[in-house]
Amino acid sequence: MKIAFIGLGNMGAPMAANLAAAGHDVIGFDQADATVDGVTMTQSAAEAASDAEAVITMLPNGQILRAVADEVIPAMHAGAVLIDCSTVDVDNARAVARQAADAGLLSVDAPVSGGIGGAAAGTLTFMAGGSDAAFAKAEPLFDIMGQKAVHCGQAGAGQAAKICNNMILGVTMIATCEAFALADKLGLDRQKMFDVVSTSSGYSWTMNAYCPAPGVGPQSPADNNYQPGFAAELMLKDLRLSQQAADSADADTPMGQVATTLYEQFVEHEDGLGRDFSAMLPRFEKRGRH
Ligand code: NAD
């Protein structure tokens, strides 16, 4: 398949390389200089898109996605599919889907989980929103870049699934970290805390698979001085998207709101920038109630 790949950063570059390695004809564009194994670079997004059966975007945010969509949609030919894998807000994802439909194109919003490691290994999970026809056309490409693709519903459903999942993740990480910090102050050994909680009703992915306490549970960024992993600022981005969506849909998300405020403080006013999102534990450790 002729594929255009726009946005070849930390995630996009390895995803595009995997498509090329699988034998697809991949044309790339990034506004910054980028070289990716097996990918032919072009001078503009429109040029990359003009001959493609699938155009994949992996961009920083919804505003940039809109600008790129304005460029590529008029250049694409009827029946081609626009697959946006960026994490963006639901409203912009739906607006791009409408624009694509008006131009006679198929489109899917397909944000991912699995991070840079998953992108390199081709083990991402895709959460997709769009018509059955659009999903069917994109699915073989998801199979190369990832290990699982869930068709969540119509346009925007992929982004909705992603931000709901990550809102749970942010809230749960905070709950796990504050509980460890409380256990410390109560004199409870961290290993004992893990042994109990990981097999009791307080268990969660953040406790069992990504334990924020160094030396406890499976290997995680906590064991590597909180090098990301999943950086706190990316968690903040996703939490903000969840709150933007909650505002727009009139949903009451008080825990998501508190998690957003805490990660905002951590990233913007404390030492959270560039650290893993589980570094909330040393943050709580240093603090008292009064
Ligand atoms: P990144 O900043 O490394 O890559 C984004 C790329 O887009 C950059 O190379 C940039 O030059 C390019 N770009 C920006 N504006 C452009 C334009 N107008 N035209 C062409 N290229 C343009 O970011 P990333 O880590 O690769 O993340 C990409 C998306 O994936 C984000 O939406 C992010 O939230 C999401 N995501 C990231 C991770 C992760 O662990 N990094 C995990 C899941 C989802």
Side-chain angles (χ1 to χ4, degrees):
M1 201 190 266
K2 280 199 161 176
I3 300 169
F5 207 115
I6 306 185
L8 297 157
N10 289 321
M11 296 291 290
M15 291 164 72
N18 283 336
L19 291 171
H24 289 294
D25 183 2
V26 186
I27 314 276
F29 174 71
D30 193 294
Q31 67 171 22
D33 275 344
T35 10
V36 180
D37 272 355
V39 175
T40 310
M41 299 301 291
T42 50
Q43 290 308 307
S44 75
E47 191 185 331
S50 60
D51 207 17
E53 290 160 69
V55 175
I56 304 180
T57 48
M58 194 49 167
L59 297 161
N61 60 48
Q63 224 178 341
I64 294 173
L65 169 66
R66 294 294 293 271
V68 169
D70 283 344
E71 248 190 277
V72 296
I73 287 176
M76 289 170 69
H77 59 75
V81 62
L82 176 61
I83 306 169
D84 176 44
C85 296
S86 332
T87 304
V88 305
D89 57 286
V90 176
D91 291 341
N92 273 326
R94 288 189 173 142
V96 167
R98 271 195 303 276
Q99 198 181 343
D102 290 347
L105 303 172
L106 299 168
S107 75
V108 192
D109 53 287
V112 302
S113 89
I116 299 166
T123 55
L124 295 168
T125 295
F126 289 85
M127 296 149 246
S131 66
D132 288 344
F135 182 76
K137 189 146 188 184
E139 201 175 15
L141 305 182
F142 296 150
D143 288 344
I144 294 166
M145 298 183 284
Q147 61 184 356
K148 188 172 179 182
V150 180
H151 188 190
C152 299
Q154 291 303 310
Q159 298 294 349
K162 165 89 185 173
I163 57 175
C164 288
N165 179 73
N166 280 21
M167 186 173 79
I168 295 172
L169 179 63
V171 167
T172 320
M173 180 54 84
I174 289 170
T176 304
C177 291
E178 70 181 30
F180 262 119
L182 171 61
D184 286 348
K185 293 196 178 183
L186 296 174
L188 175 61
D189 179 71
R190 283 185 170 180
Q191 183 62 51
K192 301 294 177 200
M193 164 85 171
F194 176 84
D195 292 346
V196 171
V197 175
S198 65
T199 53
S200 300
S201 45
Y203 83 89
S204 65
W205 185 85
T206 58
M207 174 60 84
N208 292 37
Y210 203 96
C211 184
V216 176
Q219 276 287 120
S220 72
D223 300 305
N224 190 23
N225 203 23
Y226 297 100
Q227 298 292 312
F230 185 43
E233 61 268 26
L234 290 178
M235 174 47 82
L236 175 59
K237 173 193 170 179
D238 292 356
L239 283 167
R240 281 180 170 153
L241 290 176
S242 76
Q243 295 314 288
Q244 193 181 330
D247 256 351
S248 159
D250 189 27
D252 189 20
T253 56
M255 303 297 282
Q257 210 164 356
V258 172
T260 308
T261 305
L262 277 168
Y263 273 106
E264 203 163 72
Q265 200 172 323
F266 187 48
V267 169
E268 292 181 352
H269 304 293
E270 298 168 5
D271 63 348
L273 187 66
R275 304 186 83 194
D276 189 71
F277 83 122
S278 61
M280 270 285 164
L281 175 52
R283 175 194 185 274
F284 279 116
E285 244 175 82
K286 284 187 238 132
R287 300 169 74 88
R289 194 176 181 88
H290 304 292

